[in-house]
Amino acid sequence: MVPFLLFLISQLVISVIAIWKLIWKEENSRILIIMLAGGVIGLLSKLFVIVMGLEEDLLFSFSSTVCIAPFSSLYLKNSLSGRSSSWRTLLIASIPLLFSLLLFIYYLIARPYGMHIGAPQTITQHFRDVVLFSSLAFDSYLLYTYRHTLQRAMQHPNTQLGISFIIHKVFLSTLFLLSFFNLSATHFFLYTGLSSTTIILGLVIYFKIIRDYRPRNMEDPSSTPAKSTVKYQKNSIDNVYLENKKAEIASLMRKENLFLDADLASADLANRLDISNHELSIVFNYGMQTNFYQYINTLRIHYFLDHIDQIIGENKTILALAYESGFQSKSTFNKYFKQELGLSPSEYLKHHQHSLKAIKS
């Protein structure tokens, strides 16, 4: 039991550190914070049961699954829709957590006085299973609803993390189903389930802490301003050649919509034009007074604006259309949109809808 105790304590420490790191992340991380907080409560309840010498009641301790399952579904929904959850939605998702906490509090009160705990223990176990399978059903609904934009959304780390949560829940549900047929192995499944909590903690740390880290010398090239044209002024540039390449680029973008490829790089465009990457930089910096990323993302914004009525007519989300326009992340899209129009996407959409209503009236 000592190794298991050390395992719980180490998980507890890592979870607290992860929560502290996530506090400074974007708004969507508040869901992850609640999930990890639920995990901390679960670890503390198990730690309490072990310290009190009540190992036989481990299954009655607070199950972090009732917190992780619904909030992971909510996280996936936000990642696919590009919208943040309201506090009301978060409160509704917290109902299973609060109910499970009440059952554990009843156990803490009933156990010392020798009160009957058999029925609440059964309720705790089955309630956990109901929450888990309901969450998986909702995940299936989300994947079906956003099936048309899922492939592009999968390029974003938030969606990748949301899908990882689904895999985690499938793993847990498989263990719980097996436990019905092998009741003598209940504690084995409990320990395996606890190890899966380590997996989900590792996923959060990887996707939201390690992967989000960017050293200063490895900044996203899309955030790099256009290079100064001074360094190219000493080059012998044929203006006719320069204009021809500008026309070729415009033609490629107009006919083939290359900018819709989220993985498009300057080297890819240089290969299509049969010139070096350095020559392409000269065309952009000296001939267009911009850089590759600024040019491509501006075209993506224009494509988004040309198709913005799909958000209204086809009930498509802003983020879904942004992905279709070639953007890989919500932050990059918002940055270039505001840079181009001076408004956030949601603000612009409101103005656009008001304009349409005014025209119709």
Side-chain angles (χ1 to χ4, degrees):
M1 191 54 68
V2 173
F4 181 63
L5 191 60
L6 293 174
F7 174 69
L8 284 178
I9 295 173
S10 62
Q11 265 199 334
L12 187 61
V13 172
I14 296 172
S15 297
V16 171
I17 294 174
I19 290 173
W20 179 75
K21 289 283 188 181
L22 287 172
I23 288 174
W24 306 105
K25 293 289 181 180
E26 75 274 8
E27 187 178 7
N28 202 24
S29 287
R30 66 187 180 188
I31 294 179
L32 298 178
I33 292 172
I34 296 173
M35 287 172 60
L36 293 182
V40 168
I41 295 172
L43 292 171
L44 287 173
S45 70
K46 290 172 178 60
L47 199 59
F48 173 81
V49 170
I50 293 173
V51 171
M52 296 300 292
L54 303 172
E55 289 86 352
E56 68 276 7
D57 290 339
L58 265 176
L59 283 175
F60 195 65
S61 59
F62 175 81
S63 174
S64 56
T65 302
V66 299
C67 176
I68 291 174
F71 278 100
S72 61
S73 295
L74 201 56
Y75 186 84
L76 178 64
K77 177 181 178 294
N78 290 356
S79 300
L80 292 174
S81 66
R83 298 172 182 171
S84 298
S85 298
S86 64
W87 286 107
R88 182 181 178 183
T89 304
L90 293 175
L91 185 60
I92 293 173
S94 301
I95 292 175
L97 183 153
L98 297 174
F99 181 72
S100 187
L101 265 179
L102 288 174
L103 287 173
F104 182 64
I105 292 172
Y106 171 81
Y107 162 78
L108 294 179
I109 297 173
R111 182 74 187 194
Y113 294 99
M115 297 169 62
H116 181 66
I117 62 171
Q121 188 173 21
T122 303
I123 293 173
T124 298
Q125 187 172 356
H126 292 305
F127 179 68
R128 174 202 63 193
D129 298 341
V130 169
V131 171
L132 178 62
F133 289 111
S134 299
S135 172
L136 278 173
F138 184 65
D139 290 339
S140 301
Y141 166 76
L142 288 175
L143 294 178
Y144 176 78
T145 302
Y146 294 97
R147 63 191 182 281
H148 298 301
T149 58
L150 184 60
Q151 184 175 359
R152 186 170 294 278
M154 277 298 294
Q155 297 174 357
H156 196 279
N158 285 348
T159 308
Q160 295 169 13
L161 179 57
I163 298 298
S164 300
F165 288 152
I166 295 179
I167 297 172
H168 166 260
K169 285 184 283 189
V170 170
F171 170 69
L172 275 185
S173 60
T174 303
L175 293 180
F176 294 155
L177 285 174
L178 289 174
S179 67
F180 284 121
F181 302 100
N182 190 1
L183 297 178
S184 62
T186 299
H187 280 75
F188 166 76
F189 291 114
L190 173 67
Y191 298 149
T192 311
L194 280 173
S195 66
S196 73
T197 306
T198 308
I199 295 173
I200 203 168
L201 178 60
L203 288 171
V204 172
I205 291 174
Y206 171 71
F207 280 102
K208 303 307 296 179
I209 297 177
I210 297 176
R211 192 166 172 177
D212 273 6
Y213 173 73
R214 292 288 186 274
R216 290 185 179 180
N217 61 344
M218 294 179 62
E219 293 180 352
D220 182 357
S222 64
S223 63
T224 306
K227 296 180 181 178
S228 171
T229 60
V230 175
K231 65 179 286 187
Y232 298 112
Q233 288 177 356
K234 294 181 180 179
N235 288 285
S236 177
I237 299 175
D238 185 339
N239 287 332
V240 175
Y241 169 84
L242 190 62
E243 291 300 321
N244 286 340
K245 289 304 175 186
K246 286 168 59 178
E248 283 184 52
I249 292 172
S251 177
L252 276 174
M253 296 301 164
R254 184 177 61 255
K255 293 179 180 179
E256 300 185 27
N257 287 340
L258 294 182
F259 56 88
L260 295 181
D261 181 2
D263 297 319
L264 181 68
S266 58
D268 300 324
L269 182 57
N271 288 335
R272 291 295 303 272
L273 297 171
D274 196 23
I275 60 176
S276 69
N277 209 29
H278 177 69
E279 288 175 305
L280 182 64
S281 296
I282 294 177
V283 174
F284 277 117
N285 285 268
Y286 190 75
M288 301 182 183
Q289 287 74 49
T290 186
N291 62 25
F292 171 78
Y293 291 100
Q294 183 72 44
Y295 177 78
I296 294 299
N297 285 319
T298 299
L299 290 178
R300 288 168 176 166
I301 293 297
H302 291 167
Y303 180 90
F304 177 91
L305 295 174
D306 290 340
H307 296 80
I308 197 169
D309 289 336
Q310 292 181 9
I311 297 176
I312 304 170
E314 300 179 14
N315 199 27
K316 186 176 290 184
T317 65
I318 290 177
L319 188 59
L321 184 56
Y323 285 148
E324 288 182 16
S325 303
F327 287 99
Q328 281 190 324
S329 72
K330 180 181 177 181
S331 58
T332 302
F333 167 65
N334 287 339
K335 169 191 168 184
Y336 281 99
F337 193 96
K338 194 159 189 176
Q339 181 177 301
E340 187 74 13
L341 298 168
L343 296 170
S344 69
S346 56
E347 290 172 339
Y348 180 86
L349 183 60
K350 285 182 181 178
H351 285 291
H352 183 69
Q353 289 174 323
H354 287 318
S355 299
L356 289 178
K357 289 180 181 178
I359 293 173
K360 290 179 181 179
S361 60

